[in-house]
Amino acid sequence: IIIMNYIKAVNTYATYLSDKLVHYQTMSNRNAEGNQGSSSIDAWFDVLNHPRRRDLCRYMMHTDADIVTHEDLVEFIIEHDSSVADEVSDRQGVAMELCHVHLPKLDDLDPVDYDRKGKRVYIDSAAFAARLEDVRSMIEDILEVRTD
């Protein structure tokens, strides 16, 4: 039993390292190809235009993980959206909506990479926070102009 537990632990750690490697390779490939996603302020406002994507952004800002699973995000939405019941049909609807609408939209941004096949989302937390700070700064600029 001890050996089996050890093997499980080694496999879990190997999967974790593999995920990290895929994340860094993906981000490196984006940078090397010049395809860094969109950093335009308009793209960020478009993402933040929908409440579900704002919830996903909140999750991504508050998680310590560089990699989150599609299921983690579904679970988060189910727990935080009072309009969604924890029923199979609602869970499937949220999962499909994230997979086909919201995560691809977030994938267009610099600090997020959505691996649809692996059902994982890779997050560059520092870049994500920096881009949201840019959005906040833009809103402050707009408010300053309005009050002048």
Side-chain angles (χ1 to χ4, degrees):
I1 293 177
I2 294 173
I3 292 173
M4 294 300 285
N5 288 339
Y6 178 75
I7 290 171
K8 281 183 184 178
V10 168
N11 283 336
T12 300
Y13 187 66
T15 301
Y16 168 78
L17 290 176
S18 175
D19 287 345
K20 285 289 218 185
L21 180 62
V22 167
H23 169 67
Y24 292 121
Q25 287 175 334
T26 300
M27 292 301 181
S28 294
N29 288 344
R30 274 186 169 188
N31 291 336
E33 295 169 2
N35 179 17
Q36 299 176 357
S38 176
S39 61
S40 81
I41 198 78
D42 293 334
W44 279 90
F45 279 117
D46 188 36
V47 163
L48 295 171
N49 185 38
H50 194 281
R52 182 75 32 95
R53 289 192 295 269
R54 288 193 300 271
D55 288 341
L56 292 171
C57 287
R58 267 187 216 96
Y59 179 90
M60 290 178 189
M61 281 299 300
H62 292 97
T63 186
D64 292 330
D66 293 340
I67 303 167
V68 295
T69 66
H70 182 259
E71 187 57 35
D72 292 338
L73 297 173
V74 170
E75 199 62 40
F76 175 79
I77 296 299
I78 296 289
E79 290 174 7
H80 289 87
D81 188 342
S82 61
S83 69
V84 178
D86 191 9
E87 297 177 10
V88 173
S89 61
D90 283 352
R91 184 174 289 278
Q92 289 172 341
V94 168
M96 287 184 63
E97 185 181 8
L98 293 182
C99 180
H100 296 291
V101 179
H102 301 303
L103 291 175
K105 180 78 82 174
L106 284 164
D107 185 46
D108 290 340
L109 303 175
D110 284 344
V112 179
D113 182 46
Y114 174 47
D115 174 11
R116 190 178 292 210
K117 289 180 186 174
K119 294 191 174 188
R120 289 185 173 86
V121 178
Y122 302 91
I123 307 162
D124 181 341
S125 298
F128 197 86
R131 296 299 78 74
L132 286 175
E133 178 60 29
D134 292 344
V135 170
R136 188 186 67 72
S137 178
M138 173 63 77
I139 292 169
E140 284 181 354
D141 288 348
I142 292 168
L143 290 173
E144 284 179 15
V145 169
R146 185 172 184 208
T147 59
D148 289 342

